[in-house]
Amino acid sequence: MELTLWTYEGPPHVGAMRIAASMEGVHYVLHAPQGDTYADLLFTMIERRDRRPPVTYTTFQARDLGGDTAELVKRSIADAVERFQPEALLVGESCTAELIQDQPGALAAGMDLGGIPMVNLELPAYSKKENWGAAETFYQLVRNLLKPQLPAPGAPKLDPTRWRAENRRPRVNLLGPSLLGFRCRDDVRELTQLLAGYGIDVTVVAPLGARPADLLRIPTADANLNLYPEVSGSVCSWLERQFGLPAVKTVPIGIGATVDFLRELHGVLGLELPAELQAERQSRLPWYSRSVDSTYLTGKRVFVFADGTHAIAAARIASRELGFEVVGLGTYSREMAREVRALAAELGLEALITDDYLAVEAAMAEAAPELVLGTQMERHSAKRLGVPCAVISSPLHVQDVPARYAPQMGWEGANVIFDSWVHPLMMGLEEHLIGMFRHDFEFVDGHRSHLGDGAPAAPAVEEPAPVAVAVAGGSLSWSADGEAELAKIPFFVRGKVRKNTEAYAREQGLAVIDSEALYEAKAHFSR
Amino acid sequence: MVSSSVASSTLPPPLKESGQREVFCGLTSIVWLHRRMPDAFFLVVGSRTCAHLIQSAAGVMIFAEPRFGTAILGERDLAGLADANEELDRLVAQLLERRPEIRTLFLVGSCPSEVIKLDLAKASERLNQQHAGRVTVINYTGSGIETTFTQGEDSALQALVPLMPKSDQPQLLIAGTLADAVEDRLVGLFQKLGIERVASLPPRRSTELPAVGPGTQLLLAQPYLSGTARALVDRGASLIEAPYPFGVEGSRDWMAAAARACGVDQAQIDAVLDPLVERGRRALAPHREVLEGKRLFLLPDSQLEPALARFLARECGMELVEVGTPYLDRQLMAEELARLPEGTQLSEGQHVDNQLQRVREARPDLVVCGLGLANPLEAEGMATKWSIELVFSPIHGIDQAGDLAELFARPLRRRGALQFS
């Protein structure tokens, strides 16, 4: 058993629902107890969809357990096929149904479904999670549908440069975008435009908006874009293995990553990349970030925690394109742990690979950042710690499915990222003035007047620290004069200064920290 | 007098359906119970699905100092590799260390824990001994296979009943969660009527459970408390027969029934309540204008549906197309059924696709339904009122009748207000 106050991912059948609900013409029969229909709300409320997810639940109750639940499954399958006339059917179990082992997939296989393809989903609910469930479902569905098209063993693989011989524009599939993914709707639009600018067409976007018939056209493309590896990673590597369809692995979030992505894609397709990419003219981020107004962003301490894809992208943008210092990097996507670890090592950090909300909160408090880039959960632990925060990844809430155009990918995505990451920080002038004059009645410590909130969020930053000292430091304490000096440090770096000073005092064997010790520590760490 | 105005209505037999049910499980009740009793902690023993449900339902609130969590079963627990009881003891110790101020710990059963027959009753007995004097551990089920939405509260309160002290003293006991302000108002009114001792279950602090015994007159504020009512009656309480306190009429009848049971004379009842009735009707009037003659379809959700339908039909002039309820306790609902307009079609249970078919055929003016159906029905051109809000809003009592009607009038007003061409 594992004590969980908050889970970064739902169970794997929610991942399967994401695939079914993202697509058209696919129906999902889910063997699940009454109550599991709560998951419909993720789509009707958070994604604000105008129709019910294409999911039929068996919703068994205790009294059904005495009877024939297998019969209930068969009835639900038959009803769903008749009522919704899907082009493909997914059949699977939720965690409770997994325990009673009715084998709904096997039951469906024995039924006359009028010839529609049926995919039996085996999603181990007690060991796997949502993204794994989505990736597995997408993979099984594609594999199932493309089975008849599999090239004979030994047959030559597809040539990604054949578009030239066929005298047409090169074309690619966009794989991975799905409902409940972060900003997928607008990422697809942004990328489609971007590709069009380079003369590249889009064959299939999947799962978002695709029908089973569209999946059948996947092999007609020249390459796949593996846009959300958490969802499309396994399908892309299968297509590469079986059909020789190469996958472009760079995810184009950020200026540098978009440039790398274009390079990789052009390389794969055998296309000449225009020598002058003009990235700086395509997106405003580079100029905004270079302009003097952004100078004060230099070295701002940032803590990043997200799914693997977005964590990697964010760390790169933060450190190279915005000039922040990344002081913490982690992910809950264990499948992406290796890549995140490698990037963390490059940044001189140890990656935090965990799905334990409390461990993330503790690491955040320890790193004492000035900005948190995270998920919906980090937004709130950041609030508790009084640190500004922006959301960069799922899990998300309704405010991160906005009405306006808000991609993360490509040139416009970088514009959106600049605005939304800088917005929560205190503006430059206010930051200077609060550092100068600390006795104002309105612009008090921790106040960010451009956010329009009256009360400062700062005090929470301070409270955990004395406890930490008592635990970690043993005899270490602050003198009144030391505390007074600490209070003069601008609030957003105060946590870090406190930690540095304590570390310095311990190193020097000091028992009491006074104002002099604080300045000593400041000089010591100012390399 | 009100009771004479109660029509002995003739209702056709309720439609009983089985099929897919689009409802919450009882775990959802944690979302409001943890606020009613802030010194309690709700530990669900279940799967990742259970944890995901509560965080999706509790939305933004999850981030305050947590008052609920899930002990997620892993493969080792299922394979018997880890002794589930030892695991539970370990987690509870860990939790209590982090949150020493917890006074009552609810172990909440879920579908997985019930299917594998994890004995949480025994576990709570054992944990009670381990942590005696610090925290009381009790258990109840919130599983979807056993409970629907508000039945989770029934099952939680029922688990509290054995812990209530015994007392023969005459008192009025109001059962069912009420908003604080509503509770204060109602208790104040009962005292004005001359009823000195009024207690509430659940209390605001889990350690301050009211007493119960032969002197207790039990008044249900919520219609979903079948198990709790039985358990209280078993401990000597007498159940007051009354409709539920929704709207002017229901609330007046509810208070009057309680007052009569406590021996208050009719003149006193009329003197206290009549001015409220007059004022309540005035507050209702503007909403009645919006709602009158509109056709209403209620899908099953909380068991509040028959009482709300009665209020909306009798006091707001709505026409009832179908009144769905997840479960119909005929005894506890008798006073409501008697007040429903003749011919009202009730349905118990659900086959959601068939029911939606009936909704589409009837094209009602307002559909009361859950959030899984509300936006899809809006997109089909039907006005909806999402039902969960009714469990989270102060809607009980004569003074709240206007607010309650407003909840139903608002979506209709909004539809009238929006223009895009």
Side-chain angles (χ1 to χ4, degrees):
Chain A
M1 272 182 218
E2 170 198 357
L3 179 62
T4 309
L5 301 172
W6 183 280
T7 162
Y8 279 93
E9 295 181 69
H13 74 258
V14 169
M17 281 186 72
R18 282 172 57 186
I19 302 299
S22 297
M23 292 185 64
E24 309 279 336
V26 175
H27 201 84
Y28 182 17
V29 176
L30 179 61
H31 195 21
Q34 162 176 274
D36 280 4
T37 51
Y38 81 87
D40 285 359
L41 274 66
L42 305 171
F43 300 94
T44 59
M45 298 309 293
I46 294 178
E47 282 282 357
R48 232 184 278 255
R49 297 277 283 177
D50 60 0
R51 63 189 115 149
R52 296 173 65 206
V55 183
T56 294
Y57 305 76
T58 57
T59 57
F60 58 85
Q61 293 174 270
R63 59 167 181 261
D64 298 313
L65 293 177
D68 193 350
T69 45
E71 197 46 49
L72 177 64
V73 174
K74 282 163 80 174
R75 205 165 56 233
S76 302
I77 293 172
D79 277 359
V81 170
E82 197 198 321
R83 191 182 294 266
F84 299 103
Q85 309 267 319
E87 293 153 37
L89 187 71
L90 305 174
V91 178
E93 300 160 304
S94 79
C95 51
T96 305
E98 188 179 329
L99 298 172
I100 55 180
Q101 299 190 337
D102 281 322
Q103 314 280 358
L107 291 174
M111 294 170 64
D112 174 18
L113 302 174
I116 57 163
M118 189 280 295
V119 180
N120 174 15
L121 296 176
E122 300 206 18
L123 311 176
Y126 296 91
S127 56
K128 301 291 189 188
K129 285 175 273 190
E130 179 177 332
N131 281 335
W132 187 89
E136 174 70 8
T137 303
F138 190 32
Y139 162 65
Q140 292 295 351
L141 183 61
V142 169
R143 200 178 81 118
N144 211 284
L145 290 168
L146 289 183
K147 219 181 274 168
Q149 292 189 38
L150 277 179
K157 301 287 185 197
L158 292 176
D159 172 10
T161 63
R162 70 185 192 282
W163 56 273
R164 224 183 276 278
E166 291 174 10
N167 201 20
R168 58 167 172 83
R169 282 154 61 111
R171 54 195 182 210
V172 296
N173 300 314
L174 309 191
L175 300 185
S178 67
L179 296 180
L180 296 178
F182 196 72
R183 308 284 170 86
C184 292
R185 178 195 69 195
D186 296 338
D187 282 348
V188 166
R189 183 172 137 198
E190 182 64 21
L191 271 193
T192 307
Q193 272 172 17
L194 179 77
L195 294 170
Y198 290 90
I200 300 167
D201 291 335
V202 171
T203 309
V204 177
V205 179
L208 192 61
R211 310 193 79 90
D214 295 322
L215 300 186
L216 295 176
R217 294 188 294 113
I218 284 178
T220 65
D222 302 312
N224 288 323
L225 308 186
N226 185 16
L227 294 181
Y228 302 91
E230 279 88 351
V231 173
S232 49
S234 36
V235 101
C236 283
S237 55
W238 182 78
L239 289 164
E240 188 150 21
R241 258 191 339 269
Q242 298 294 332
F243 289 86
L245 255 183
V248 173
K249 294 190 178 65
T250 311
V251 178
I253 303 178
I255 300 297
T258 303
V259 171
D260 288 354
F261 160 83
L262 287 170
R263 274 201 197 105
E264 189 186 346
L265 175 62
H266 280 70
V268 164
L269 294 172
L271 256 175
E272 186 87 21
L273 188 65
E276 182 59 66
L277 263 173
Q278 297 187 319
E280 301 230 356
R281 273 193 241 160
Q282 308 267 10
S283 174
R284 291 181 202 96
L285 180 141
W287 167 241
Y288 270 48
S289 185
R290 262 191 245 279
S291 74
V292 294
D293 200 38
S294 297
T295 310
Y296 85 114
L297 299 177
T298 313
K300 285 254 181 227
R301 306 162 47 78
V302 181
F303 183 91
V304 179
F305 192 85
D307 66 21
T309 304
H310 289 89
I312 288 170
R316 181 169 174 181
I317 298 168
S319 59
R320 295 196 205 161
E321 298 171 16
L322 294 174
F324 293 150
E325 182 192 358
V326 179
V327 295
L329 174 60
T331 182
Y332 59 83
S333 314
R334 280 180 201 280
E335 316 81 60
M336 303 276 284
R338 201 190 308 168
E339 290 92 324
V340 175
R341 281 206 181 95
L343 180 57
E346 252 176 63
L347 294 166
L349 298 166
E350 192 172 337
L352 175 69
I353 312 294
T354 183
D355 56 3
D356 179 354
Y357 165 65
L358 295 174
V360 178
E361 193 182 75
M364 192 190 296
E366 177 59 32
E370 293 163 70
L371 175 68
V372 171
L373 301 173
T375 72
Q376 176 67 14
M377 275 96 104
E378 279 66 57
R379 172 181 276 168
H380 292 266
S381 28
K383 184 179 172 197
R384 266 179 85 182
L385 296 170
V387 184
C389 177
V391 174
I392 58 165
S393 147
S394 305
L396 47 79
H397 227 293
V398 62
Q399 62 270 51
D400 280 302
V401 189
R404 68 178 184 279
Y405 186 52
Q408 299 287 290
M409 292 184 176
W411 310 132
E412 182 61 22
N415 294 340
V416 171
I417 285 173
F418 182 90
D419 289 346
S420 53
W421 295 9
V422 172
H423 176 76
L425 297 169
M426 186 186 285
M427 309 292 277
L429 175 64
E430 182 158 35
E431 182 176 314
H432 283 295
L433 289 175
I434 284 195
M436 294 273 289
F437 311 110
R438 325 205 33 100
H439 60 282
D440 201 277
F441 57 87
E442 181 183 353
F443 300 95
V444 295
D445 202 20
H447 188 63
R448 284 171 280 157
S449 61
H450 72 292
L451 298 182
D453 51 344
V461 174
E462 298 303 308
E463 279 156 21
V467 184
V469 176
V471 175
S475 60
L476 201 57
S477 69
W478 284 77
S479 72
D481 136 79
E483 286 279 10
E485 207 59 41
L486 182 66
K488 294 177 190 163
I489 306 295
F491 82 99
F492 46 87
V493 283
R494 199 178 300 148
K496 187 64 197 169
V497 170
R498 179 190 280 277
K499 279 194 191 344
N500 279 351
T501 309
E502 283 163 5
Y504 175 80
R506 236 169 266 131
E507 205 178 291
Q508 300 292 317
L510 302 177
V512 177
I513 304 173
D514 56 12
S515 58
E516 288 308 314
L518 188 143
Y519 281 110
E520 287 287 342
K522 192 177 167 200
H524 177 80
F525 286 105
S526 74
R527 289 154 285 162
Chain B
M1 226 335 276
V2 181
S3 57
S4 62
S5 76
V6 172
S8 57
S9 95
T10 45
L11 302 179
L15 202 58
K16 287 211 178 196
E17 281 198 301
S18 60
Q20 179 178 323
R21 295 165 67 105
E22 185 86 15
V23 290
F24 282 126
C25 66
L27 293 181
T28 326
S29 58
I30 294 171
V31 176
W32 66 89
L33 284 176
H34 82 275
R35 295 299 272 272
R36 176 67 191 182
M37 294 177 283
D39 59 341
F41 191 96
F42 295 81
L43 181 63
V44 178
V45 182
S47 65
R48 191 167 301 282
T49 308
C50 308
H52 195 235
L53 158 84
I54 300 172
Q55 80 183 33
S56 306
V60 172
M61 298 192 308
I62 192 100
F63 308 102
E65 186 62 43
R67 295 178 203 166
F68 40 81
T70 309
I72 295 186
L73 296 162
E75 278 186 323
R76 286 165 46 80
D77 305 297
L78 299 179
L81 291 177
D83 182 318
N85 288 309
E86 280 170 21
E87 284 286 287
L88 196 55
D89 291 4
R90 180 178 62 82
L91 289 196
V92 167
Q94 191 187 332
L95 176 67
L96 292 178
E97 195 178 321
R98 194 184 139 84
R99 301 289 315 281
E101 72 286 5
I102 296 170
R103 287 295 158 261
T104 306
L105 175 66
F106 288 92
L107 294 182
V108 191
S110 67
C111 301
S113 74
E114 271 162 37
V115 168
I116 63 170
K117 302 206 185 317
L118 192 58
D119 193 342
L120 292 184
K122 235 191 203 123
S124 56
E125 254 174 54
R126 187 182 62 243
L127 286 162
N128 251 325
Q129 282 168 3
Q130 280 175 26
H131 303 281
R134 263 193 66 195
V135 63
T136 310
V137 185
I138 36 189
N139 88 289
Y140 73 92
T141 178
S143 74
I145 56 177
E146 293 282 357
T147 59
T148 305
F149 195 29
T150 48
Q151 283 176 329
E153 177 177 330
D154 185 28
S155 137
L157 299 191
Q158 200 180 333
L160 287 172
V161 171
L163 304 180
M164 291 164 72
K166 185 177 160 38
S167 160
D168 296 348
Q169 254 188 320
Q171 66 161 347
L172 179 64
L173 176 64
I174 305 177
T177 293
L178 290 172
D180 290 352
V182 168
E183 182 190 20
D184 293 342
R185 174 74 183 148
L186 292 174
V187 170
L189 285 174
F190 280 124
Q191 282 168 349
K192 226 168 155 182
L193 282 161
I195 304 169
E196 286 303 316
R197 298 175 56 88
V198 186
S200 294
L201 181 72
R204 292 185 194 184
R205 293 187 56 80
S206 65
T207 45
E208 291 165 7
L209 287 173
V212 65
T216 300
Q217 295 290 336
L218 171 62
L219 183 62
L220 298 183
Q222 300 281 16
Y224 46 72
L225 297 176
S226 303
T228 306
R230 266 200 313 277
L232 288 168
V233 168
D234 285 346
R235 290 205 51 188
S238 335
L239 178 65
I240 299 169
E241 285 177 16
Y244 293 93
F246 303 121
V248 174
E249 181 200 18
S251 304
R252 192 199 195 279
D253 289 3
W254 182 76
M255 296 196 83
R260 276 193 299 276
C262 295
V264 180
D265 65 49
Q266 193 61 44
Q268 172 73 353
I269 294 174
D270 294 345
V272 173
L273 298 182
D274 284 349
L276 300 181
V277 167
E278 205 275 323
R279 192 174 62 197
R281 295 230 163 97
R282 253 187 293 142
L284 267 179
H287 306 299
R288 186 180 168 110
E289 267 173 44
V290 179
L291 295 171
E292 186 144 37
K294 298 286 194 301
R295 297 165 64 248
L296 176 72
F297 197 122
L298 297 105
L299 273 66
D301 190 51
S302 59
Q303 299 183 52
L304 261 54
E305 296 82 5
L308 294 171
R310 177 265 303 159
F311 161 67
L312 291 164
R314 290 170 69 105
E315 296 185 49
C316 302
M318 295 190 85
E319 260 177 57
L320 305 177
V321 180
E322 181 175 323
V323 181
T325 177
Y327 173 67
L328 186 61
D329 183 322
R330 291 187 161 279
Q331 190 199 345
L332 295 191
M333 211 58 90
E335 294 284 321
E336 291 293 351
L337 298 183
R339 284 167 174 80
L340 278 172
E342 211 164 298
T344 299
Q345 181 62 60
L346 287 162
S347 63
E348 184 184 7
Q350 190 178 31
H351 183 303
V352 71
D353 289 311
N354 288 349
Q355 195 167 37
L356 285 175
Q357 203 53 47
R358 295 199 295 278
V359 169
R360 289 186 184 111
E361 278 159 19
R363 297 294 299 184
D365 298 299
L366 188 66
V367 184
V368 178
C369 63
L371 288 172
L373 300 172
N375 272 335
L377 286 174
E378 290 279 351
E380 289 183 33
M382 278 175 272
T384 61
K385 165 76 216 107
W386 54 281
S387 49
I388 302 132
E389 194 177 18
L390 299 159
V391 181
F392 296 127
S393 304
I395 58 172
H396 298 75
I398 301 176
D399 299 308
Q400 311 295 333
D403 296 351
L404 178 57
E406 209 269 332
L407 287 179
F408 296 90
R410 196 186 297 156
L412 295 173
R413 273 208 194 99
R414 182 168 181 79
R415 283 176 87 78
L418 297 182
Q419 280 180 24
F420 300 102
S421 54

